[in-house]
Amino acid sequence: MTNSQLQLISVPANIHPPAGTIVLLHGWGANHHDLGDLAPYFELPEYQFLFPNGIFDHEFTETGKMWYSFTGAGQLTNRSVAQLATSRQILSEWVQSLPATTGVPLDRTWIAGFSQGGAMTLDIGLDLPVAGLIVLSGYLHPDRPKPTQNAPPVLIVHGRQDDVVPIFTARSSQELLSQWGVEVQYQEFEMGHSIVLEVLDVVRNFVANKSKL
């Protein structure tokens, strides 16, 4: 698969050209419809939303997709690492190609993701000149190197009761990103591995505030 073959859900903005583009990456075992239904609740009608489908079929669900596989213990195998490399390359090249198709420059393009999609957001986004990164119940890949250039600002939102991606993962990600000199906004909620309406409020404010700079 190449970046031109990504399956997409596109929600257009109510203005042309859009004020910006927001890319949202779904989690492990979900698909692009999982987050696509949330678009109206972000209350950012002047932004175009793009929801790409995962590169690989999920092993345990007929309709699920993934960016890479896990073992039962959440560890990466050689197969997982190879899949991650493929998803990294395709997503990175696709995001960089977006200005040619959307008319929106990268500095007004946002990358966001939930869970494994949040991990992919950090994986590719820290090295791209995008407007910002939004990580919802996600994590930083343990072997992710320090960015080689100025990274975009990052919003991390996580639930204290998350039993899929534990809260210490988000806290350690915030700490390491801050050590790297990345601007990080961090917020915890009393929730599990989910997205509640209050989270969307935080995301909307983050986008609005950074868009004014």
Side-chain angles (χ1 to χ4, degrees):
M1 178 183 286
T2 63
N3 59 29
S4 62
Q5 296 172 309
L6 273 174
Q7 294 178 314
L8 286 175
I9 293 175
S10 178
V11 179
N14 65 358
I15 59 173
H16 184 79
T21 298
I22 299 177
V23 173
L24 275 144
L25 308 177
H26 66 75
W28 186 71
N31 58 45
H32 52 356
H33 292 286
D34 185 55
L35 293 179
D37 294 338
L38 286 178
Y41 298 98
F42 284 95
E43 297 181 9
L44 291 166
E46 67 277 18
Y47 285 77
Q48 175 187 19
F49 285 81
L50 298 176
F51 303 88
N53 219 10
I55 305 298
F56 300 99
D57 291 333
H58 192 256
E59 295 107 327
F60 310 122
T61 62
E62 292 185 3
T63 60
K65 293 287 188 175
M66 61 185 183
W67 304 106
Y68 53 89
S69 58
F70 291 115
T71 67
Q75 301 300 311
L76 299 186
T77 64
N78 289 338
R79 175 169 173 258
S80 307
V81 171
Q83 290 173 332
L84 170 56
T86 298
S87 288
R88 176 187 296 129
Q89 179 178 355
I90 290 175
L91 281 175
S92 181
E93 291 177 355
W94 173 70
V95 169
Q96 292 178 82
S97 75
L98 285 178
T101 58
T102 64
V104 177
L106 283 181
D107 62 7
R108 288 197 282 119
T109 299
W110 303 77
I111 309 175
F114 176 75
S115 195
Q116 189 183 71
M120 292 305 302
T121 294
L122 290 173
D123 196 282
I124 66 169
L126 287 171
D127 292 318
L128 294 177
V130 294
L133 309 177
I134 299 163
V135 183
L136 308 174
S137 302
Y139 52 96
L140 185 68
H141 289 137
D143 59 347
R144 210 296 177 190
K146 180 180 179 179
T148 57
Q149 57 190 17
N150 291 334
V154 176
L155 169 65
I156 297 177
V157 179
H158 216 94
R160 295 190 183 95
Q161 288 79 42
D162 194 327
D163 58 357
V164 177
V165 181
I167 187 64
F168 72 80
T169 307
R171 292 169 180 169
S172 62
S173 297
Q174 178 212 14
E175 182 178 355
L176 184 55
L177 289 171
S178 297
Q179 289 175 4
W180 287 348
V182 179
E183 178 189 343
V184 183
Q185 179 179 328
Y186 179 86
Q187 191 156 348
E188 297 178 3
F189 283 88
E190 297 299 333
M191 65 179 187
H193 196 63
S194 61
I195 300 175
V196 297
L197 289 178
E198 291 82 0
V199 169
L200 302 185
D201 291 338
V202 173
V203 171
R204 181 169 56 255
N205 290 333
F206 180 72
V207 171
N209 290 337
K210 295 303 177 185
S211 296
K212 295 175 182 177
L213 298 180

